[in-house]
Amino acid sequence: MLCKYKDKIHLCMFIVLLLQLLSRTAAQSCANSCGEKLNTCSCHATCESLKDCCADYKQFCLDIEPYSGSLLGGRDFKILNATFEQNINLTCRFNSEILTEGYVDESGVGHCISPLLYESGWIPFEVSTDGVNYDRAGRWLSVHHSKLSPFYTIVMVNATQWQYYGTPNVSGDLKMIWIPSLIKAETVNVELWGYNETGEAYSANWEAEWKYLYTVTRDVPNVGTFVFTPQIAEKPYSLWDLGSMRIIPSTKPDGAQNVNALWSGAHAIAWHLEEAFRMDSAGWALEKCINWDKEEKAMPSFQTEIIDCPCTLAQARADTGRFHTDYGCDIEAGSFCVYHPGAVHCVRAIQGSPEYGAGQQCCYDSTGAQVLTGDSIGGSTPDRGHDWGDPPYKKPPRVPGFSHWKYDVISFYYCCLWSDNCEYYFTHRPSSDCRTYHPPRTAAVLGDPHFMTFDGVTFTFNGKGEYSLVHSPHYDLSVQGRTEPMKFENGTVAMATRLSSVAMREKDSDIIEVRLGDQVDELKVLMNQQVLSFSEQKWIDLKGVFVFSPNPTNVTVMFPSGTGVEVRAGQGVMTLTVLLPHNLQNHTQGLLGTMNDDPEDDFTSSSGVIIPLNSSAQDIFTYCAGWAITNETSLFTYDSTYLLYEYYYAPKHDPSFIPNFSVTEDPEDPLLEPTLNLCAGEGASFCKYDALSMRSLEQGNATLLAYRSHTATRKALAPVQSCGWLSPPNHGQKEGTLYLEGATVDFSCNDGYRLYGSQERTCQADGTWTGRDTHCVAGRFVLRKH
């Protein structure tokens, strides 16, 4: 009887505990909790792979499609994996302050409209179903308008006609086209909006402004095309010379904010300017140019704080931590360099200048030489407004795209394109040459895996674990690598490893991890433990870091310090290249060495002990193991049971994994002869090691190609001496526009003038020119060459 009584007590206690547990579980909701790990389930981005999501995770932590659009707004995106009732008040809030109307379609799918923003990058948003409680969260990628595919914009057919309309011999009808399905309406209105920046420059009241000007036409059938004959606008609208076209549903009020819309790119709206422009466009533009000249003189100079351009196109393309291709002048895309005639390729400095957020644009000719404004209208130019904007964006002159148009592009129309007065423009926008440019230093990890330090030391380390590759306390920069055992084609484990993931951060930036994906030679990118998709955009602005991925095998990460991290996937392995700017000299440690031009101290342990470069493979292995990180310092994401048990709960360096420290070249091995034939020249030792250890010529060849690619990058980034630009003499000419070591510039005088000084000058290794300054003096005779 007592026993039965006790059994009942135990049963009651069990039921009470079960009810409590169920009650706690039921209470675990992702409402207002996205990104958090709760007691009994998770609302964190890793919950899907770890299979511990709360039941309502998808309802409150939102996936959307599309996930990106122009910072000008107007994109209609739908909320995936969640259903809504038809009669609710769906409201969307961006950055905790900008409200846009949402709606629920006939299928119960919720939609939001992206707002006008003055910034690029990931923008948090929340959704409310009652207009009060914003308990559902997601993120929207705001994109620089020129980086969008033309499919998601209004395309101005023959953009030159639009922007030169009213100048001599330019007239006729203008045409614009768009994708009709992007506007949810049968008829549309076509509007013109103007852009301006008001208030005192570089003060707290300096503000960016998009202003609705007027409606060009109403109730146009939404068939994707519109043709019109431009008319001179009424004042004061005709005084606006910079703006964009916008299309909205005809049901919306004129100038309605944050509604479904399509935008053209910013452009010079010559086609609506006042009568004075059409009567004398050059005179009108000259007046504007002179006014701009006065405004520039009143503003602080920014040129002393911008980075100098690389000396050659090879340097510019290799310095991926600090420079990136200008999409308007791209040799690979075959784009026509409209604003830089004579150039074949331009790059932009990725980071804006420290105080003013200014930009730098560097252009190069078909020989790879930098084009300077002293020689050509198409020369390299600094920018008061960085074309891609500069964090924290939002305010002038840091607004992506439009600040650049306001201060650097429309003024180019005034002074150079609508009139012939470029001397005004280039007084304020002269090219920076490359005399103070310092190319970055490079280090690499490749194959299974081999290391090449910043000071040129090479070694092999086949440990399994997570290690510090580069650490710089000076810049709070950390790059970490994870290695895992490789497998033969039959699935058995090899006694060699490969780099499988790289994680990195600078100061308080977002943490970026690049890892080998599930598909062969595919890379997966994570930001703060959440997967980043590059299906819509190849370039993403993040907090304190930029990420570029043109294809699934190629990722480049760029930090404000100028550090670049390139990750490539091929033949089942990851190749890593790290580029560090000159100012990190003497400020690095880790497996990629101490960057100080002294190879002898590259094997410096985490405790400061230096081992010799000729140490045995076993001693180098032990040294490398000492650079294992800890869970406290780890930047990696552990989003699978495999990663948790192999790396998080296990030692950061696996002492039980002992690799083969060398490979035997057995004459009886049938793979030896083809390996020796393949692996010749630079990189041969790494090639042979990988081919023989992995029993794969393809593996050896991939390592050889990666080695040679790294060697080519180091060669491209070799320092180049510049002597600086030489001007032609007054009343004379010069021949030669190359100003690097060994280059020669010749001078001559016009008829009636004689040459005084040197007729020929050569750039010397010490950065000075031979000879004397050249002048042309009135007279009959020409002095001979000095």
Side-chain angles (χ1 to χ4, degrees):
M1 189 73 179
L2 182 60
C3 183
K4 289 182 179 180
Y5 177 72
K6 287 183 177 180
D7 288 343
K8 287 181 179 179
I9 292 177
H10 290 157
L11 178 60
C12 289
M13 291 177 64
F14 173 76
I15 292 173
V16 169
L17 290 171
L18 179 61
L19 290 173
Q20 288 178 342
L21 178 62
L22 291 174
S23 175
R24 286 179 60 197
T25 303
Q28 299 293 288
S29 169
C30 287
N32 293 310
S33 298
C34 289
E36 298 179 19
K37 295 180 180 180
L38 308 180
N39 292 335
T40 59
C41 59
S42 176
C43 304
H44 192 270
T46 58
C47 75
E48 291 185 275
S49 56
L50 292 173
K51 304 186 187 310
D52 61 353
C53 296
C54 296
D56 60 2
Y57 173 71
K58 286 292 188 180
Q59 289 287 324
F60 288 94
C61 304
L62 305 177
D63 288 329
I64 61 174
E65 184 183 66
Y67 65 80
S68 66
S70 168
L71 55 78
L72 291 172
R75 191 72 189 273
D76 184 319
F77 63 83
K78 59 185 178 181
I79 300 170
L80 306 176
N81 307 310
T83 55
F84 300 88
E85 297 179 3
Q86 293 281 340
N87 59 351
I88 64 168
N89 176 23
L90 190 68
T91 310
C92 312
R93 185 173 67 184
F94 294 78
N95 266 343
S96 301
E97 60 180 1
I98 305 173
L99 297 179
T100 69
E101 290 184 7
Y103 69 95
V104 179
D105 65 24
E106 63 277 3
S107 302
V109 175
H111 293 247
C112 290
I113 305 297
S114 67
L116 169 64
L117 298 159
Y118 292 95
E119 61 182 312
S120 58
W122 287 109
I123 308 298
F125 75 92
E126 301 96 28
V127 172
S128 171
T129 55
D130 60 9
V132 178
N133 299 304
Y134 290 85
D135 51 7
R136 303 166 191 258
R139 59 181 188 175
W140 168 255
L141 183 60
S142 176
V143 180
H144 186 301
H145 196 75
S146 70
K147 293 181 181 179
L148 283 178
S149 164
F151 292 108
Y152 304 111
T153 67
I154 299 171
V155 175
M156 301 183 302
V157 179
N158 190 357
T160 300
Q161 181 190 11
W162 284 72
Q163 299 185 109
Y164 282 78
Y165 203 97
T167 62
N169 304 316
V170 182
S171 59
D173 289 345
L174 298 180
K175 181 178 182 180
M176 49 193 276
I177 58 176
W178 67 93
I179 304 297
S181 61
L182 296 176
I183 297 291
K184 311 294 195 238
E186 293 184 359
T187 60
V188 297
N189 293 347
V190 180
E191 301 175 338
L192 176 65
W193 285 62
Y195 182 79
N196 196 16
E197 294 185 351
T198 60
E200 182 182 351
Y202 300 102
S203 71
N205 68 347
W206 203 10
E207 298 291 342
E209 176 190 23
W210 271 106
K211 180 180 177 64
Y212 164 75
L213 299 183
Y214 57 86
T215 297
V216 177
T217 190
R218 291 182 170 82
D219 301 319
V220 175
N222 184 19
V223 294
T225 184
F226 172 61
V227 178
F228 70 106
T229 302
Q231 303 295 322
I232 294 173
E234 297 179 357
K235 287 188 176 182
Y237 306 121
S238 63
L239 301 179
W240 290 72
D241 49 23
L242 170 59
S244 289
M245 306 297 289
R246 188 179 82 150
I247 296 173
I248 63 170
S250 297
T251 54
K252 299 297 182 182
D254 290 348
Q257 291 272 11
N258 302 327
V259 297
N260 184 204
L262 278 177
W263 294 79
S264 74
H267 64 283
I269 45 179
W271 52 270
H272 92 147
L273 292 177
E274 58 185 324
E275 182 69 25
F277 179 78
R278 297 197 181 183
M279 295 294 293
D280 179 12
S281 57
W284 184 95
L286 173 59
E287 183 178 348
K288 289 281 190 176
C289 178
I290 293 173
N291 288 336
W292 172 79
D293 172 64
K294 293 177 181 177
E295 292 172 359
E296 277 291 314
K297 288 176 179 176
M299 288 186 174
S301 173
F302 62 89
Q303 295 172 34
T304 56
E305 67 169 13
I306 58 175
I307 186 174
D308 253 6
C309 287
C311 292
T312 66
L313 178 57
Q315 286 181 331
R317 299 184 71 183
D319 191 351
T320 53
R322 294 183 290 182
F323 294 90
H324 189 76
T325 295
D326 182 340
Y327 301 111
C329 186
D330 182 357
I331 192 172
E332 292 184 354
S335 56
F336 180 63
C337 304
V338 176
Y339 302 112
H340 297 277
V344 299
H345 193 81
C346 293
V347 298
R348 290 190 181 276
I350 295 166
Q351 189 69 27
S353 64
E355 183 175 357
Y356 298 117
Q360 175 68 284
Q361 187 180 36
C362 310
C363 297
Y364 302 86
D365 64 20
S366 58
T367 70
Q370 187 189 3
V371 184
L372 302 178
T373 52
D375 299 321
S376 168
I377 188 177
S380 310
T381 52
D383 299 319
R384 183 173 293 281
H386 196 304
D387 184 24
W388 302 335
D390 190 61
Y393 307 112
K394 296 186 180 180
K395 292 175 70 69
R398 300 174 184 267
V399 178
F402 306 112
S403 288
H404 175 57
W405 261 93
K406 168 70 176 174
Y407 298 105
D408 306 295
V409 182
I410 195 66
S411 49
F412 191 71
Y413 277 87
Y414 298 156
C415 303
C416 299
L417 300 181
W418 291 340
S419 72
D420 187 16
N421 297 283
C422 274
E423 66 275 9
Y424 285 100
Y425 188 84
F426 292 133
T427 296
H428 301 288
R429 301 292 185 270
S431 296
S432 300
D433 59 26
C434 65
R435 280 177 292 178
T436 65
Y437 171 74
H438 294 283
R441 302 283 293 280
T442 65
V445 182
L446 51 91
D448 66 344
H450 311 288
F451 292 72
M452 305 171 73
T453 71
F454 294 105
D455 290 339
V457 175
T458 60
F459 63 95
T460 298
F461 171 55
N462 270 294
K464 176 200 169 189
E466 295 174 344
Y467 308 93
S468 177
L469 301 178
V470 180
H471 180 59
S472 176
H474 185 71
Y475 273 89
D476 199 8
L477 169 71
S478 183
V479 181
Q480 302 172 351
R482 174 188 290 154
T483 59
E484 66 180 11
M486 296 184 70
K487 294 182 179 180
F488 294 110
E489 290 184 1
N490 63 8
T492 59
V493 175
M495 289 294 99
T497 58
R498 65 179 180 180
L499 192 64
S500 60
S501 186
V502 182
M504 62 208 83
R505 179 176 62 189
E506 182 177 287
K507 297 183 179 177
D508 62 347
S509 74
D510 288 329
I511 296 173
I512 302 300
E513 181 178 348
V514 184
R515 59 170 65 160
L516 290 172
D518 299 328
Q519 304 299 317
V520 176
D521 295 341
E522 171 199 57
L523 295 173
K524 180 185 289 187
V525 183
L526 288 79
M527 177 200 73
N528 300 335
Q529 304 188 353
Q530 188 170 356
V531 175
L532 276 182
S533 171
F534 292 88
S535 60
E536 294 180 18
Q537 305 299 330
K538 306 305 179 187
W539 175 286
I540 300 180
D541 299 347
L542 301 172
K543 179 188 175 185
V545 62
F546 307 94
V547 184
F548 176 64
S549 181
N551 57 63
T553 67
N554 185 326
V555 175
T556 301
V557 182
M558 298 143 278
F559 291 102
S561 67
T563 296
V565 180
E566 299 177 354
V567 185
R568 309 290 183 260
Q571 203 57 41
V573 298
M574 176 185 285
T575 298
L576 169 73
T577 301
V578 180
L579 301 98
L580 294 184
H582 177 76
N583 48 0
L584 263 72
Q585 185 90 339
N586 295 308
H587 294 296
T588 69
Q589 55 191 31
L591 289 181
L592 291 178
T594 305
M595 189 177 79
N596 61 358
D597 298 312
D598 180 11
E600 296 296 326
D601 65 358
D602 271 11
F603 288 157
T604 301
S605 72
S606 55
S607 60
V609 177
I610 301 174
I611 68 170
L613 295 182
N614 61 355
S615 297
S616 68
Q618 289 88 340
D619 287 342
I620 292 175
F621 181 85
T622 302
Y623 150 76
C624 293
W627 278 110
I629 61 175
T630 65
N631 278 339
E632 290 71 30
T633 61
S634 174
L635 301 176
F636 289 104
T637 299
Y638 304 92
D639 54 356
S640 69
T641 53
Y642 167 77
L643 293 175
L644 284 171
Y645 288 101
E646 290 293 324
Y647 294 96
Y648 187 77
Y649 297 121
K652 288 301 184 184
H653 169 75
D654 187 349
S656 67
F657 187 86
I658 307 299
N660 294 325
F661 292 109
S662 62
V663 292
T664 303
E665 297 183 16
D666 184 357
E668 302 299 320
D669 183 354
L671 192 61
L672 180 61
E673 183 176 353
T675 295
L676 295 178
N677 290 335
L678 170 69
C679 302
E682 288 190 336
S685 61
F686 289 167
C687 173
K688 286 190 293 184
Y689 184 100
D690 290 5
L692 294 176
S693 64
M694 293 306 300
R695 313 303 299 162
S696 169
L697 290 175
E698 291 79 8
Q699 194 72 61
N701 187 54
T703 298
L704 186 64
L705 293 176
Y707 183 97
R708 290 176 178 173
S709 175
H710 179 69
T711 301
T713 298
R714 290 176 70 95
K715 182 178 179 181
L717 290 171
V720 176
Q721 183 65 61
S722 170
C723 293
W725 179 72
L726 286 177
S727 63
N730 292 331
H731 311 295
Q733 303 82 35
K734 70 173 183 178
E735 288 189 19
T737 55
L738 185 62
Y739 309 104
L740 307 181
E741 181 181 349
T744 296
V745 178
D746 294 313
F747 301 91
S748 60
C749 294
N750 299 337
D751 290 342
Y753 290 84
R754 59 189 177 89
L755 188 147
Y756 177 80
S758 296
Q759 184 176 338
E760 179 184 278
R761 304 186 70 182
T762 300
C763 180
Q764 302 179 103
D766 63 357
T768 62
W769 289 100
T770 59
R772 296 178 295 164
D773 290 346
T774 305
H775 304 279
C776 291
V777 181
R780 297 182 180 180
F781 303 104
V782 177
L783 294 182
R784 295 301 178 188
K785 176 179 174 182
H786 286 240

